[in-house]
């Protein structure tokens, strides 16, 4: 094998499992011995000894996003976008296992009452709003929607306070020009099957961890009750209307710094129109602030991501425009089929 010849798939990998939402993954102990054998068979060095480090960031490839049976399947225009992106990501991880030093998988992590879920708002006739509703600051000011007391009670605030808060939140979102408040179907609720990593991805992460001696620690984000957290690195809004800190709104600056110790940051995930775009925008902003030259280290794996497309809302064009803007800012766009040599620029 030459230095950059991709590996074959290990015997335990079954491509058919990629499309099976019910596949829970292999028990970790059952993966350990095959990973050790793979390490010996292919003379795999410990990741800590890599002369050049590649860090793979996999954003929110969870059951609810990856499969048609999921609560918020990221279908893309093809109708199979999320599942295709998952398969390409997993196969990329196995083929290029010797050159990937570390893998960080993020998990969108929600609880039942959050500002972007149907139960957080009531209509004028006191019914919960429907999923895929867009709520504006003007809607709240006009009284077309109001907060559900069930959201206020756990926070220890009044519905009047929460009305000010949601109005202010919508105003701030709209001022950024990125998003309005979008009411999503319930998805990725912590403790449910939809929250977990897709089984084939969990297998690949563990197999890589065992075979390369890599930590591969996951990162959870998104449980703040009063703000979206599309980006893994920061919530959309960090302070409340009265100047108080937003509950649970945490900036993952340590992860930003860790990623920038790598020679290349490979990015895959779902959805390219929302959580991927927001995360890459924050990563690029951090780079521009600290060392603009490092922007070229960010490599976006175009075929390992897909945008949200739901009835009445197709975010494909927005995702493509964002990728183009990231490339103009110095990031690079490749595919999972490009050779290792292309990673380093």
């Amino acid at each position: 094998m030459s230095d950059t010849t991709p590996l074959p798939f290990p015997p335990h990998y079954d491509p058919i499992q990629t499309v099976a939402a019910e596949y829970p993954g292999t028990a970790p102990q059952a993966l350990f011995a095959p990973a050790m054998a793979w390490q010996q068979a292919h003379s795999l060095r410990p990741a800590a000894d890599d002369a050049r480090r590649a860090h793979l960031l996999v954003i929110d490839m969870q059951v609810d996003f990856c499969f048609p049976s999921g609560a918020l399947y990221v279908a893309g225009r093809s109708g199979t976008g999320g599942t295709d992106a998952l398969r390409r990501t997993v196969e990329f991880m196995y083929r290029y296992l010797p050159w990937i030093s570390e893998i960080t998988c993020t998990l969108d992590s929600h609880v039942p009452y959050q500002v972007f879920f149907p139960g957080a708002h009531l209509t004028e006739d006191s019914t919960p709003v429907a999923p895929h509703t867009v709520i504006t600051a003007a809607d709240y000011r006009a009284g077309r929607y109001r907060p559900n007391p069930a959201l206020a009670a756990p926070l220890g605030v009044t519905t009047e306070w929460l009305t000010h808060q949601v109005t202010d939140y919508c105003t701030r979102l709209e001022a950024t020009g990125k998003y309005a408040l979008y009411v999503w179907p319930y998805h990725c609720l912590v403790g449910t099957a939809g929250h977990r990593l897709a089984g084939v991805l969990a297998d690949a992460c563990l197999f890589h961890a065992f075979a390369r001696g890599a930590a591969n620690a996951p990162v959870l984000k998104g449980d703040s009750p009063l703000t979206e957290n599309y980006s893994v690195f920061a919530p959309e809004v960090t302070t409340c209307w009265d100047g108080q800190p937003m509950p649970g709104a945490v900036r993952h600056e340590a992860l930003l710094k860790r990623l920038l110790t790598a020679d290349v940051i490979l990015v895959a995930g779902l959805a390219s129109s929302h959580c991927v775009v927001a995360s890459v925008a924050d990563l690029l902003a951090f780079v521009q602030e600290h060392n603009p030259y490092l922007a070229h280290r960010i490599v976006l794996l175009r075929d390992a991501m897909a945008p949200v497309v739901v009835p009445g809302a197709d975010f494909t064009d927005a995702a493509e425009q964002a990728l183009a803007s990231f490339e103009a800012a110095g990031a690079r766009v490749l595919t999972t089929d490009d050779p290792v040599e292309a990673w380093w620029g």
Side-chain angles (χ1 to χ4, degrees), residues 96-149:
Y96 296 107
L97 187 144
W99 301 279
I100 298 172
S101 306
E102 186 173 357
I103 300 165
T104 296
C105 290
T106 73
L107 291 100
D108 210 26
S109 303
H110 298 313
V111 294
Y113 284 98
Q114 295 186 262
V115 71
F116 45 81
F117 279 153
H121 311 276
L122 300 176
T123 64
E124 290 177 288
D125 61 1
S126 297
T127 59
V129 300
H132 305 296
T133 298
V134 176
I135 296 177
T136 67
D139 289 328
Y140 251 75
R141 293 190 188 101
R144 286 186 283 272
Y145 302 105
R146 57 187 173 85
N148 187 342

Side-chain angles (χ1 to χ4, degrees), residues 7 10 12 28 31-36 38-39 44-50 52-58 89-105 199-217 258 266 343:
L7 295 186
H12 73 268
L31 278 176
F32 182 74
M36 294 297 97
W38 205 245
Q39 181 189 77
L44 300 175
R45 64 187 176 275
D49 293 344
D50 288 350
R52 291 191 292 189
R53 295 185 57 78
H55 195 142
L56 174 61
L57 177 64
V58 182
T89 300
V90 168
E91 294 182 357
F92 176 82
M93 290 162 67
Y94 285 132
R95 286 187 294 130
Y96 296 107
L97 187 144
W99 301 279
I100 298 172
S101 306
E102 186 173 357
I103 300 165
T104 296
C105 290
V200 288
L201 177 60
D203 281 0
C205 287
L206 277 173
F207 191 81
H208 176 275
F210 293 147
R212 298 290 322 277
N216 292 359
R258 182 170 180 80
L266 303 157
W343 300 3

